[in-house]
Amino acid sequence: MNFQDYLATFPPIDHLTGLDVQDADGKTVHHIPAVQGKLGSLKLYNALAERFNGSLDKEAAEQGLIWFAEHVADACAHPGKHPNIDLLEKVVQSGETWLLKPVSA
């Protein structure tokens, strides 16, 4: 499956204004806004939050990379171009666990 195929299977995000990725102390370390160009990432991260009970650990990050599908190779070839994929790669490499907090309107 490709990224668009996966997106079609995820829950709707119409009620969200964004999603915060937080450290163990509740500090926001990354934010995905509900704006054009970020809606696919927001939908994917929200699906991860639902599937993994709000936890972004190595297993959740690996699943996110599967769902980003064809975009992962481009992210690896161009670090910084896809920050939401870079974040998942960082979690896989570091073994850190962060929290996913969808932000409702």
Side-chain angles (χ1 to χ4, degrees), residues 38-105:
K38 299 293 180 190
L39 294 174
S41 290
L42 177 59
K43 197 168 188 180
L44 185 149
Y45 270 76
N46 182 63
L48 287 175
E50 289 192 13
R51 180 168 177 176
F52 293 94
N53 298 313
S55 180
L56 181 60
D57 59 8
K58 183 177 180 182
E59 180 184 3
E62 288 172 341
Q63 181 63 63
L65 292 171
I66 291 169
W67 289 343
F68 268 117
E70 71 274 11
H71 297 292
V72 174
D74 189 50
C76 290
H78 304 97
K81 182 177 178 184
H82 300 278
N84 297 316
I85 296 173
D86 295 344
L87 178 73
L88 296 176
E89 290 282 4
K90 180 179 178 182
V91 171
V92 169
Q93 297 302 317
S94 71
E96 292 179 82
T97 297
W98 290 344
L99 305 173
L100 298 174
K101 300 288 185 180
V103 181
S104 296

Side-chain angles (χ1 to χ4, degrees), residues 7 9-16 43 46 50:
L7 283 183
T9 68
F10 299 153
I13 56 168
D14 301 343
H15 63 291
L16 298 179
K43 197 168 188 180
N46 182 63
E50 289 192 13

Side-chain angles (χ1 to χ4, degrees), residues 22-28 99:
Q22 299 176 339
D23 65 16
D25 296 324
K27 179 183 173 202
T28 298
L99 305 173

